[in-house]
């Protein structure tokens, strides 16, 4: 009787049925219902949004992305579709993270490969891709993914920390980074990354010499040299960049630990004057 | 909104965070193996689920959740629990041995929308602990009349209407007149009627999703100070008494402590996305914000932290109160080590407190759970966006103090936690930890660990304020002196029990116990044996004890 009723159901009913199944965690059931919904109403973007989620949950990442793209094609300016698309980026990341947590790295990578194709500007997806391939022992690919993430979000220190860990795990990496640095010889980033890989303060110095406002290099350098040298370095940074607040704070930290309270106080005040406005 | 906040267990977890306690090493020192410890949930009968102010999580008003007070409101010697709540405060009476019954209906505490935090203190010195409940709108001062609360806000001269978004608070006798005054933190300047809806501005979106707005995008605010004039009256003295506090802060957790050891209580306010506030008591009825100069305003790299909870604690046993704060994800908790003479230095990294950046930290408690004389830390965590689904829920953080360096574990069921208070709920001599969480019933925990001996003190002022808030206790054991204070507020918008506890390790007694009362006078209590909670009355020494 129920089957008969369902067979007579319209697209809206299939959609409702599918969404209920999704809520209940019955992914396969949801997929069947929602595929039927899009079959009956292929012009409705909401159907495609829903089926994208169902396809993702049933492990068909490529088909899920295709559904999302279909929704966008049908309603390119729709706020609902844009919202759904943004949500879907997060869902893909969550799905991949769940797979990573479950030690299903290959499946996670498959999801993430589709994800970075669909959302190439999302640094977080690149980071996860880096983790997925790292877990499979492909360190060089992991580094490439992390470098891409850093390119997209250079302000995120956690990416540098992740990269640092990866760099310590692979021999191939140094060669690739050296090649990258040579190709971008005028850019601080490559030398800085190579410096991380080699633990070579001279490369931080080189990077910083290329771009005195490239804070990661100066920061790494000041942490890798003796306190006296670090102070001199940061004093040079603020001389070159007198408006650069974070350097004053790092200086204040060094002064404070050296017991130079007056200098620390002055540096703290300068930092606050430069950065302390919400 | 920051990137990378939506998938928490990333590389750090892959590297072993959360896998269990590890060894710690102080610079130049030997490795210290952290002993086994774990967090255990305790059945306490707390069944009332937290409620949002309007039943939804559309506004930042709901994101901040609620605090909890561990306080003996009925003077029966057992620590009761009062929960601020979005809809109506919930009061549980401790029926003994840590079991609770909901007595809200007959408590005198009125239902009121948009509750936030709670703090406690006997403002009229009648021997019954009073409370302030903070709200969006206007906070409410309740006088405790022999176990019945009565709203005395209007009679006290405090605002009964308004649109302030008040969060943390503390009673503090800042002018040492024996009467408890009040400091109240305010978060964003917020008008519910005009508040932008999710998605309305760039501050109301996240990864393209429409989420609640703020705090960025809302005007900042400033803390308020109310002076207790006696006779149940309070006067707003913010303008004249708080110096150097521009209205440029998103204030949350409040703690009171004597940071410079001069006998005059100072105040620290943890602020979200703005510099912290450190109010030095000028001993003349004014307090000045010196957080920037003191080095307690920013994170280790000079960044504005998303700070929520706060504790004053002598982590390194030098007799000076250091500061610990809980912060947003991708930040770590902060430790400002107090070097004396109003000079702090960020010691987060070197002490191991900076090892976990995956938590959104809120409530913060100090419990020496192994009773080794070194205070340990517990933190309640939870992300802010309900759009995260299950990932909004996070486990708790435990930080074991190995002598100025910490080993950490993440533990307990994941929840979107906020408030946290500590107190010995079952009277066995070890503090329990109460945690509030969005949309869920509160949970009581205790840390299971092999423990040494300990003792506790519950103080009662006579010339000083009766709650003894601001009193400093120094306990000498094995030639080492431990320091703790009686405080109001603390954590995130919460109130720990007033009793103070000390770990004595293997020692059977404390060689010397002294109390410096809030009025500045010091009283020698003498030797005290381990294994009891002592009641100490100002001028009379020990007047009672409960042996565990």
């Amino acid at each position: 009787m129920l089957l008969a009723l369902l067979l007579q159901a319209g697209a809206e009913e299939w959609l409702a049925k599918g969404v209920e199944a999704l809520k209940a965690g019955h992914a396969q059931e949801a997929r069947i219902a929602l595929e039927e919904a899009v079959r009956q109403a292929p012009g409705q973007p909401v159907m495609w949004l829903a089926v994208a989620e169902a396809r993702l949950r049933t492990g068909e990442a490529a088909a899920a992305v295709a559904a999302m793209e279909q929704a966008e094609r049908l309603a390119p300016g729709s706020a609902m579709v844009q919202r759904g698309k943004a949500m879907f980026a997060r869902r893909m990341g969550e799905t991949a993270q769940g797979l990573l947590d479950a030690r299903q790295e290959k499946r996670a990578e498959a999801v993430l490969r589709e994800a970075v194709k669909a959302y190439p500007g999302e640094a977080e997806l690149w980071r996860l891709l880096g983790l997925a391939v790292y877990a499979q022992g492909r360190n060089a690919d992991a580094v490439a993914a992390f470098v891409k993430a850093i390119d997209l979000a250079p302000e995120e220190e956690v990416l540098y920390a992740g990269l640092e860990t990866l760099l310590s795990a692979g021999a191939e990496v140094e060669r690739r980074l050296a090649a990258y640095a040579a190709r971008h010889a005028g850019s601080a980033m490559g030398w800085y990354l190579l410096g991380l890989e080699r633990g070579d303060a001279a490369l931080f110095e080189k990077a910083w010499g290329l771009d005195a406002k490239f804070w990661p290099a100066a920061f790494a350098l000041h942490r890798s040299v003796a306190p006296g040298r670090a102070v001199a370095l940061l004093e040079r940074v603020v001389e070159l960049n007198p408006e650069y607040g974070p350097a004053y704070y790092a200086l204040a930290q060094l002064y404070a630990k050296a017991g130079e309270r007056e200098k620390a106080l002055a540096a703290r005040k300068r930092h606050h004057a430069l950065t302390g406005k919400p | 909104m920051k990137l990378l906040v939506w998938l928490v267990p990333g590389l750090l977890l892959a590297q072993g965070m959360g896998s269990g306690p590890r060894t710690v090493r102080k610079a130049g020192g030997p490795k210290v193996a952290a002993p086994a410890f774990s967090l255990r949930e305790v059945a306490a009968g707390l069944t009332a689920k937290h409620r949002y102010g309007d039943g939804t999580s559309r506004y930042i008003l709901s994101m901040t959740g609620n605090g909890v007070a561990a306080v003996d409101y009925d003077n029966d010697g057992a620590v009761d629990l009062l929960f601020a709540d979005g809809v109506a405060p919930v009061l549980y009476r401790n029926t003994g041995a840590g079991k609770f019954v909901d007595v809200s209906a007959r408590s005198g505490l009125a239902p009121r929308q948009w509750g936030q935090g709670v703090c406690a203190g006997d403002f009229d010195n009648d021997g019954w602990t009073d409370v302030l409940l903070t709200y969006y709108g206007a906070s409410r001062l309740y006088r405790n009349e022999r176990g019945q609360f009565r709203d005395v806000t209007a009679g006290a001269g405090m605002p009964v209407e308004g649109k302030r978004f008040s969060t943390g608070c503390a009673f503090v006798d800042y002018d040492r007149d024996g009467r408890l005054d009040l400091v109240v933190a305010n978060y964003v300047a917020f008008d519910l009627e005009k508040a932008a809806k999710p998605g309305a501005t760039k501050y109301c979106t996240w990864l393209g999703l429409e989420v609640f707005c703020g705090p960025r995008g809302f005007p900042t605010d400033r803390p308020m100070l109310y002076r207790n004039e006696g006779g149940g009256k309070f006067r707003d003295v913010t303008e004249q008494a708080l110096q150097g506090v521009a209205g440029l802060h998103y204030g949350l957790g409040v703690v009171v402590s004597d940071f410079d050891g001069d006998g005059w209580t100072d105040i620290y306010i943890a602020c979200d996305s703005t510099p912290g506030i450190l109010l030095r008591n000028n001993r003349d009825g004014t307090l000045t914000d010196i957080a920037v100069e003191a080095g307690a305003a920013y994170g280790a790299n000079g960044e504005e932290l998303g700070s929520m909870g706060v504790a004053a604690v002598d982590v390194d046993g030098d007799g000076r109160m250091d500061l610990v704060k809980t912060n947003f994800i991708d930040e770590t908790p902060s430790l400002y080590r107090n070097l004396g003479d109003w000079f702090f230095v960020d010691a987060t990294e070197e002490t191991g407190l900076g090892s976990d950046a995956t938590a959104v930290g809120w409530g913060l408690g100090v419990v020496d759970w192994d009773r080794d004389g070194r205070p340990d830390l517990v933190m309640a965590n939870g992300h802010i966006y309900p759009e995260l689904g299950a990932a909004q829920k996070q486990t708790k953080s435990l930080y074991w103090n190995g002598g100025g360096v910490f080993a950490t574990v993440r533990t307990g069921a994941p929840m979107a936690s906020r408030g946290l208070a500590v107190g010995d709920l079952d009277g066995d001599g070890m503090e329990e930890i109460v945690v509030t969480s969005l949309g869920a019933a509160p949970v009581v925990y205790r840390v299971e660990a092999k423990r040494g001996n300990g003792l506790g003190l519950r103080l009662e002022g006579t010339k000083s304020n009766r709650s003894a808030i601001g009193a400093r206790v120094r306990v000498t054991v094995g030639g080492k002196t431990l320091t703790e204070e009686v405080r109001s507020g603390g954590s995130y918008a919460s109130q720990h029990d007033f009793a103070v506890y000390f770990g004595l390790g293997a020692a059977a007694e404390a060689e010397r116990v002294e109390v410096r009362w809030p009025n500045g006078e010091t009283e020698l209590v003498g030797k005290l044996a381990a294994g009891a909670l002592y009641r100490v009355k100002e001028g009379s020494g020990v007047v009672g004890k409960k042996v565990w």
Side-chain angles (χ1 to χ4, degrees):
Chain A
M1 182 62 182
L2 180 63
L3 183 62
L5 282 173
L6 285 175
L7 288 173
Q8 294 165 13
E12 294 289 341
E13 287 163 281
W14 283 112
L15 176 66
K17 187 79 183 163
V19 169
E20 279 306 307
L22 279 175
K23 284 183 186 169
H26 302 146
Q28 292 295 349
E29 203 176 296
R31 173 88 185 269
I32 292 165
L34 293 168
E35 294 286 0
E36 180 59 21
V38 292
R39 195 188 64 76
Q40 290 192 19
Q44 290 194 34
V46 65
M47 307 286 181
W48 289 101
L49 291 176
V51 84
E53 172 67 22
R55 287 177 180 178
L56 183 64
R57 289 202 200 178
T58 52
E60 305 249 8
V65 169
M68 183 56 59
E69 287 169 350
Q70 178 63 10
E72 198 173 17
R73 271 194 293 276
L74 288 169
S78 158
M80 177 193 69
V81 170
Q82 290 309 313
R83 184 175 183 279
K85 191 179 175 189
M87 174 75 89
F88 196 63
R90 180 165 71 83
R91 285 287 304 125
M92 292 192 86
E94 284 175 345
T95 301
Q97 182 72 67
L99 292 167
L100 283 173
D101 291 344
R103 301 289 170 97
Q104 297 186 40
E105 293 89 3
K106 281 188 180 172
R107 290 183 62 196
E109 182 187 353
V111 170
L112 289 162
R113 291 278 176 212
E114 296 300 330
V116 297
K117 264 195 268 175
Y119 305 94
E122 286 292 345
E124 175 64 3
L125 295 173
W126 285 102
R127 183 183 77 92
L128 286 168
L129 180 60
L131 292 177
V133 293
Y134 172 70
Q136 298 173 69
R138 286 153 42 209
N139 291 352
D141 289 347
V143 169
F146 265 80
V147 168
K148 178 72 180 174
I150 290 172
D151 275 345
L152 291 167
E155 74 285 3
E156 293 299 334
E157 288 185 11
V158 68
L159 293 175
Y160 295 95
L163 185 61
E164 204 166 350
T165 304
L166 293 176
L167 290 179
S168 64
E172 170 95 0
V173 172
E174 182 181 343
R175 186 180 61 75
R176 293 178 65 138
L177 276 177
Y180 177 91
R183 275 202 311 276
H184 304 85
S187 159
M189 173 70 84
W191 300 112
Y192 164 69
L193 294 177
L194 190 59
L196 283 179
E197 161 63 7
R198 292 182 180 168
D200 185 347
L203 290 172
F204 298 142
E205 191 133 29
K206 184 180 177 75
W208 179 57
L210 286 166
D211 182 356
K213 293 184 179 178
F214 187 61
W215 173 242
F219 190 74
L221 183 56
H222 102 271
R223 289 168 66 108
S224 59
V225 298
R229 167 88 173 92
V231 167
L233 180 116
L234 290 177
E235 286 176 341
R236 177 72 176 141
V237 169
V238 299
E239 187 186 330
L240 290 169
N241 304 281
E243 306 300 310
Y244 192 47
Y248 287 99
Y249 203 83
L251 253 181
Q253 287 278 91
L254 289 171
Y255 289 144
K257 286 175 180 172
E260 296 194 71
R261 293 192 178 196
E262 290 307 313
K263 282 186 175 180
L265 189 61
R268 284 171 178 174
K269 284 181 175 172
R270 180 69 181 144
H271 161 264
H272 180 67
L274 289 168
T275 64
K277 302 288 183 293
Chain B
M1 190 61 220
K2 292 183 175 191
L3 188 71
L4 296 169
V5 297
W6 46 282
L7 290 168
V8 176
L11 194 60
L12 288 171
L13 281 178
Q15 289 173 322
M17 183 64 63
S19 60
R22 293 166 290 182
T23 56
V24 294
R25 185 202 296 270
K26 208 170 182 176
K31 272 189 178 178
V32 179
F37 54 87
S38 61
L39 197 65
R40 181 169 67 82
E41 198 171 318
V42 178
L46 308 177
T47 53
K49 284 189 178 178
H50 158 265
R51 293 161 292 182
Y52 296 104
D54 67 346
T56 76
S57 51
R58 285 177 301 170
Y59 300 107
I60 194 170
L61 288 174
S62 292
M63 176 274 285
T64 45
N66 297 109
V68 51
V71 59
D72 178 12
Y73 82 96
D74 55 359
N75 283 354
D76 66 353
V79 180
D80 310 294
L81 295 172
L82 169 58
F83 293 90
D85 180 81
V87 176
V90 181
L91 180 64
Y92 284 96
R93 190 171 71 80
N94 190 338
T95 60
K99 304 296 179 197
F100 293 85
V101 58
D102 187 338
V103 293
S104 310
R106 54 180 191 273
S107 67
L109 299 166
R112 185 174 165 80
Q113 206 177 16
W114 303 119
Q116 300 289 330
V118 58
C119 56
D122 183 2
F123 75 78
D124 53 3
N125 291 324
D126 67 350
W128 296 83
T129 301
D130 313 296
V131 296
L132 182 81
L133 282 157
T134 61
Y135 285 87
Y136 165 66
S139 299
R140 285 292 185 274
L141 180 65
Y142 281 96
R143 181 169 185 266
N144 184 343
E145 299 179 342
R146 305 185 70 79
Q148 274 284 304
F149 288 102
R150 186 166 65 87
D151 185 341
V152 295
T153 314
M158 295 176 67
V160 291
E161 290 182 344
K163 290 181 174 174
R164 273 218 139 92
F165 185 167
S166 298
T167 49
C169 62
F171 287 86
V172 52
D173 183 10
Y174 76 95
D175 52 4
R176 287 209 331 196
D177 64 356
R179 293 188 291 258
L180 288 170
D181 314 294
L182 260 172
V183 58
V184 182
N186 294 300
Y187 193 38
V188 300
F190 184 87
D191 185 339
L192 186 58
E193 288 162 18
K194 297 177 186 167
K197 297 289 185 293
T201 75
K202 68 175 181 177
Y203 299 112
C204 318
T205 60
W206 168 76
L207 271 180
L209 296 176
E210 296 174 356
V211 296
F212 66 74
C213 310
R216 296 282 193 199
F218 285 113
T220 49
D221 206 341
R222 64 187 301 183
M224 308 289 289
L225 184 66
Y226 296 95
R227 182 175 184 274
N228 186 338
E229 306 273 278
K233 298 286 185 188
F234 284 79
R235 183 166 58 93
D236 181 351
V237 294
T238 307
E239 285 296 330
Q240 54 270 49
L242 297 190
Q243 300 178 346
V245 184
L248 296 173
H249 299 274
Y250 299 130
L252 289 172
V254 179
V255 72
V256 295
S257 180
D258 180 10
F259 292 109
D260 59 349
D262 67 350
W264 295 74
T265 305
D266 313 293
I267 300 167
Y268 188 88
I269 301 176
C271 296
D272 187 7
S273 306
T274 50
I277 301 169
L278 176 57
L279 293 165
R280 180 192 63 203
N281 193 325
N282 300 323
R283 308 178 215 170
D284 61 359
T286 67
L287 300 102
T288 303
D289 181 11
I290 59 160
V292 169
E293 297 89 328
Y298 292 98
N301 297 318
E303 73 279 28
E304 288 165 340
L305 296 166
S307 300
M308 271 72 91
V310 62
V313 51
D314 180 12
V315 295
D316 49 10
D318 65 359
R320 293 187 286 259
M321 290 300 157
D322 309 296
L323 270 165
V324 178
K325 292 198 294 186
T326 53
N327 297 314
F328 202 66
I329 199 166
D330 287 339
E331 301 164 351
T332 70
S334 300
L335 169 60
Y336 301 108
R337 178 169 278 152
N338 186 345
L339 302 184
D341 198 21
W342 291 110
F343 197 81
F344 291 77
V345 64
D346 193 307
T348 306
E349 191 175 326
E350 68 212 47
T351 55
L353 211 63
S355 61
D356 181 8
T358 65
V360 178
W362 293 84
L364 170 58
V366 178
V367 180
D368 178 7
W369 60 66
D370 54 356
R371 294 293 192 242
D372 65 352
R374 295 187 290 239
D376 311 302
L377 304 171
V378 56
M379 299 176 190
N381 305 315
H383 212 300
I384 56 173
Y385 292 124
E387 288 80 2
L388 282 165
Q392 190 186 18
K393 299 177 179 180
Q394 299 189 322
T395 52
K396 268 58 68 181
S397 302
L398 297 178
Y399 285 87
W400 174 78
N401 186 341
V405 284
F406 291 90
T408 183
V409 293
R410 292 283 295 278
T411 182
M415 304 185 85
S417 298
R418 297 293 186 264
L420 181 154
V422 302
D424 181 8
L425 305 183
D426 56 7
D428 70 347
M430 175 55 66
E431 302 99 303
E432 277 73 37
I433 299 145
V434 190
V435 176
T436 73
S437 300
L438 298 181
V443 178
V444 174
Y445 298 94
R446 66 181 298 152
V447 180
E448 298 290 353
K450 186 178 175 190
R451 78 177 65 124
N453 296 322
L455 62 80
L457 288 92
R458 189 176 292 285
L459 305 185
E460 182 182 330
T462 51
K463 289 185 280 185
S464 303
N465 74 82
R466 192 125 171 206
S467 301
I469 292 164
R472 176 171 281 206
V473 182
R474 285 160 54 87
V475 168
T476 303
V477 57
K480 194 168 87 171
T481 299
L482 315 174
T483 308
E484 182 54 297
E485 297 174 327
V486 179
R487 300 190 188 92
S488 176
S491 183
Y492 168 67
S494 295
Q495 171 71 57
H496 304 301
D497 178 34
F498 292 132
V500 291
Y501 294 87
F502 295 88
L504 306 182
E509 66 175 19
E511 296 141 25
R512 176 188 167 93
V513 176
E514 70 173 40
V515 178
R516 193 197 64 200
W517 293 95
N519 67 1
E521 291 177 12
T522 298
E523 181 174 344
L524 178 63
V525 180
K527 284 185 183 179
L528 290 178
L533 174 68
Y534 295 91
R535 218 154 56 76
V536 178
K537 195 169 182 175
E538 185 176 10
S540 305
V542 174
V543 296
K545 73 172 179 179
K546 181 186 172 194
V547 177
W548 300 318

